[in-house]
Amino acid sequence: MNPPVAPAELGLWPVRAEAAALAMLLQDSLGGELYQPWLNDQGGLSQRQQFALAYCRHRQWIMIGATGIAVRFLDGLPQDKHSDPAVVVVDEAGRFAIALLAGHEGGANSLAYRVAQCTGAQPVVTTATEAVKPLVLGIGCRKLASAEQIGRAVAQALAQCPGATLAQVREVATIDLKAEEPGLLAFCATHGLPLRVIARAQIAQRAWAGKPSDWVRQNVGVEGVCEPAALIASPRGRLLLGKMALDGVTVAIVDDAEGWRNVVESP
């Protein structure tokens, strides 16, 4: 007798049939088990009841639908932050990936960034640890730049900003062409930093760059990478450090510690 097949780590639950295409895109990129609850009423069970039965089958969930529906589906299911599955909610248009449950312990925060990389969505993370990390690093690099090269460039950039430390960095942002750079991925993994990938078209629309690069313009088609990537990732922030280059790596730093106050106080 063959042993039972273990359930996938990830479950994908599109609430409506209209979200199936997005769910399949996510499955192609991230794997997991895709549910189609509108095709199976399981003996007259509501969709909410179906989800409750499947809830503990997976360590992580992506639910595609409204957050209000997700909250109602989850009512009564979470028990403990150390054992609850991670839940990320994605709207049907793929604009936002919201880490709703088990952000740190279950990995919903990192899952939200993975969803964002697949869809171009804005990752939404509200855990307190991230809320007090005001810095975003924009990083550009030559092909196959090592994690050590990137680390040295980041250290030099932070050293130019009094009081700034790597512990204050919330995320790293780069252009989509660098999304699979092994050195950049290794640097982020070593320091537990999520990588925000910004589409080249979006960077091209943001024409401003403090120090435009002829090489980047000719080979990538944009004025620069690190500055616009960091500013797009943190639109309320201020440029704390413009592009700094070291050994084939460029770094910019954006600080949004006073972001909401700036919006409130602006004339």
Side-chain angles (χ1 to χ4, degrees), residues 205-262:
Q205 290 169 0
R206 189 182 187 109
W208 183 87
K211 300 176 182 178
S213 166
D214 291 336
W215 188 94
V216 172
R217 185 187 299 112
Q218 294 170 7
N219 291 275
V220 182
V222 296
E223 295 288 314
V225 171
C226 63
E227 290 177 348
L231 287 165
I232 290 169
S234 184
R236 302 181 311 172
R238 65 183 179 91
L239 193 63
L240 189 64
L241 178 70
K243 182 176 76 173
M244 184 226 69
L246 176 67
D247 195 16
V249 180
T250 60
V251 181
I253 303 176
V254 167
D255 180 3
D256 71 355
E258 301 297 320
W260 67 269
R261 292 187 177 90
N262 292 337

Side-chain angles (χ1 to χ4, degrees), residues 146-178:
S146 69
E148 291 73 23
Q149 286 174 281
I150 293 170
R152 287 193 294 269
V154 168
Q156 180 169 302
L158 289 169
Q160 295 184 37
C161 303
T165 67
L166 194 58
Q168 295 173 307
V169 175
R170 183 172 68 251
E171 61 184 328
V172 172
T174 194
I175 195 169
D176 52 10
L177 298 177
K178 298 298 178 181

Side-chain angles (χ1 to χ4, degrees), residues 2-267:
N2 293 327
V5 177
E9 177 83 2
L10 175 67
L12 300 102
W13 193 281
V15 175
R16 303 196 312 152
E18 289 81 355
L22 177 55
M24 287 187 283
L25 169 69
L26 289 167
Q27 185 186 39
D28 287 343
S29 300
L30 303 175
E33 181 176 349
L34 174 60
Y35 292 78
Q36 295 179 296
W38 54 86
L39 298 179
N40 182 10
D41 63 5
Q42 294 187 358
L45 295 180
S46 69
Q47 193 175 147
R48 176 177 171 180
Q49 291 170 321
Q50 292 181 53
F51 180 77
L53 290 174
Y55 175 69
C56 290
R57 280 179 51 84
H58 307 283
R59 291 302 309 139
Q60 297 186 325
W61 281 99
I62 298 173
M63 183 177 288
I64 304 175
T67 52
I69 293 174
V71 169
R72 287 192 288 273
F73 275 28
L74 289 167
D75 185 29
L77 296 178
Q79 299 297 317
D80 185 273
K81 68 178 183 178
H82 297 290
S83 59
D84 291 331
V87 178
V88 169
V89 181
V90 184
D91 64 289
E92 288 187 4
R95 296 189 184 98
F96 300 97
I98 304 166
L100 187 67
L101 183 68
H104 282 297
E105 289 76 13
N109 292 351
S110 59
L111 179 59
Y113 276 91
R114 291 169 62 203
V115 170
Q117 289 191 23
C118 298
T119 63
Q122 174 85 8
V124 180
V125 174
T126 61
T127 43
T129 302
E130 283 67 32
V132 296
K133 292 183 176 181
L135 303 183
V136 172
L137 300 179
I139 296 180
C141 62
R142 291 177 183 166
K143 187 176 182 179
L144 298 180
S146 69
E148 291 73 23
Q149 286 174 281
I150 293 170
R152 287 193 294 269
V154 168
Q156 180 169 302
L158 289 169
Q160 295 184 37
C161 303
T165 67
L166 194 58
Q168 295 173 307
V169 175
R170 183 172 68 251
E171 61 184 328
V172 172
T174 194
I175 195 169
D176 52 10
L177 298 177
K178 298 298 178 181
E180 301 300 326
E181 276 292 332
L184 183 57
L185 293 174
F187 170 81
C188 290
T190 297
H191 298 286
L193 292 170
L195 179 63
R196 175 90 68 92
V197 176
I198 310 295
R200 176 170 49 174
Q202 190 175 3
I203 288 179
Q205 290 169 0
R206 189 182 187 109
W208 183 87
K211 300 176 182 178
S213 166
D214 291 336
W215 188 94
V216 172
R217 185 187 299 112
Q218 294 170 7
N219 291 275
V220 182
V222 296
E223 295 288 314
V225 171
C226 63
E227 290 177 348
L231 287 165
I232 290 169
S234 184
R236 302 181 311 172
R238 65 183 179 91
L239 193 63
L240 189 64
L241 178 70
K243 182 176 76 173
M244 184 226 69
L246 176 67
D247 195 16
V249 180
T250 60
V251 181
I253 303 176
V254 167
D255 180 3
D256 71 355
E258 301 297 320
W260 67 269
R261 292 187 177 90
N262 292 337
V263 172
V264 171
E265 295 171 0
S266 61

